[in-house]
Amino acid sequence: MEVEQLPDQVREFAVYLRNLLARLDQDAGWCGIFWQRDPDGMRVCLTGAEVPPWDVVEALLQDLGVGGGSCEAEVEAATVRARALHRASLTAFDARPGGRDLLGDRLDVMLREQRYAAERQVQLAQLLHTAATREQAEAMRLDLAWARDDHERATARCAELHRRIADLDRRPPPPPVPVPQQRPQPAPPEPPGRSKPPKERKRRPRGSARFAGMPDEATPADDTPLPTALTVQGPLRDSAASPRGARFAGAAEGEATAPPAPQHLDSEARGAIAACVGALLRLRAEDRGGEAHGVLVEAAHWPAARFPLLAAELNRAGLGADWATLLWETASLPADLLVAAADALAAAGRTADAQQILRQGVARPATEIGASVLRLTGEGRHRETRALLDAYVRVRTPEEAARSVHDDPGRLVPLLVEAARGVSDERYWDVVHALRVAGFHA
């Protein structure tokens, strides 16, 4: 985006940022580190094409107090002004078309960064005990300090992105666009013997490791949003008589037509949740991030019924970033546990969280998706199978979806095609075409 096209608030903050950097030594302090680690990210922020995370601005203001010759009162005043300009800039930046989807993509990136940094802390803490020399130990301590800084910044950026998404969701919707009176005639349906060419898929920019959202064209984006419901709305035998939508999601005869109702928790479950939140508060206060991450990994394997209350208690305790990390860990669970967690969250009204873990959960290899579908269908868990495949064909490309049937085309192709048909006619034909190109009869 050219500077002339920027909203006034974004342009004003970009000017402020350039003036701030003009007062700093570009090769020293955090400014020098940022230029070294992500020069492209710095440049796009200075032009106004992107708005940097607040932790970056805050670090630059620290440089102003240390090496910029400003007294404490001047730095404090500069911080107040920078905060106001930064918030106004974010508000205008996020209000652009596609801003909500872009924030979701960037949050996914930062959750990965947060998880990687937490795992890195645990690895380095273990290696530190094996250092053979003092020099090795000092080098590991330095690496551990950087891993902690990366985790702190990723955690702060996850919280900032969550806040921006919440702010955007609270804004009133834009006025509807007038619909032309003259309606176009629908095109005739594609005959079964032909398939449409695959539609060219646009890619949204994801984020770089350092600045949480600088454009990175190498990372694919998810173009198709998940539905409000979690379970798939498959092809219905009689659309006039059959229920459709969130609560009925392709139910077959003899199957339950809705996800399980919320379960009541006993005193043991509530006590475990309270103990988990208390442990996280203590570990965060003591700056023991690696151990806190271990607590979250353990909680991800709890019964799914505990997740809604755990989410509420974590957010009430100011641990929203930990809940975001827990969601990421949950997305790595086996498919049956993943769908159970999504069901529990959706039943409790946390639909966005449920959609997030399904979207992230189907990012696993195509062959693993196919194996999970075979296992679920073998156990007679057809509703969970539909939920998994529905999310998969919405999020992944048709070519990726086609690769999931290699282990057992006879069983997997019909299930995949049915799921694609439940999404849209366009997705159905795209998946059918991809299957034929891959050598499978659809």
Side-chain angles (χ1 to χ4, degrees), residues 11 97 115 123 136 138 196 226 279 288 305 332 366 368-371 375 379 389:
R11 186 185 304 111
R115 181 183 182 186
Q123 294 170 355
Q136 289 180 351
E138 288 299 323
K196 295 182 180 179
L226 289 176
R288 295 158 64 184
S332 302
E368 186 176 337
I369 294 291
R375 185 176 67 254
E379 297 171 358
L389 280 175

Side-chain angles (χ1 to χ4, degrees), residues 324-346:
T325 301
L326 181 59
L327 284 177
W328 180 261
E329 292 295 339
T330 305
S332 302
L333 294 174
D336 53 342
L337 300 181
L338 169 66
V339 175
D343 278 344
L345 291 168

Side-chain angles (χ1 to χ4, degrees), residues 214-340:
M214 302 304 106
D216 182 2
E217 293 298 331
T219 309
D222 304 332
D223 281 74
T224 309
L226 289 176
T228 301
L230 297 177
T231 43
V232 49
Q233 180 177 297
L236 300 173
R237 294 175 298 278
D238 183 356
S239 59
S242 302
R244 298 179 68 89
R247 303 295 290 174
F248 298 100
E253 293 181 7
E255 294 183 23
T257 58
Q263 300 180 31
H264 296 289
L265 299 180
D266 55 23
S267 57
E268 179 183 356
R270 292 179 178 275
I273 291 170
C276 175
V277 175
L280 288 170
L281 286 170
R282 175 174 52 82
L283 292 170
R284 292 302 183 198
E286 297 172 1
D287 196 24
R288 295 158 64 184
E291 294 174 64
H293 186 257
V295 172
L296 294 170
V297 171
E298 182 179 354
H301 291 80
W302 280 359
R306 297 184 182 183
F307 282 16
L309 180 58
L310 179 57
E313 294 300 323
L314 286 172
N315 284 285
R316 186 177 295 114
L319 297 172
D322 281 331
W323 171 242
T325 301
L326 181 59
L327 284 177
W328 180 261
E329 292 295 339
T330 305
S332 302
L333 294 174
D336 53 342
L337 300 181
L338 169 66
V339 175

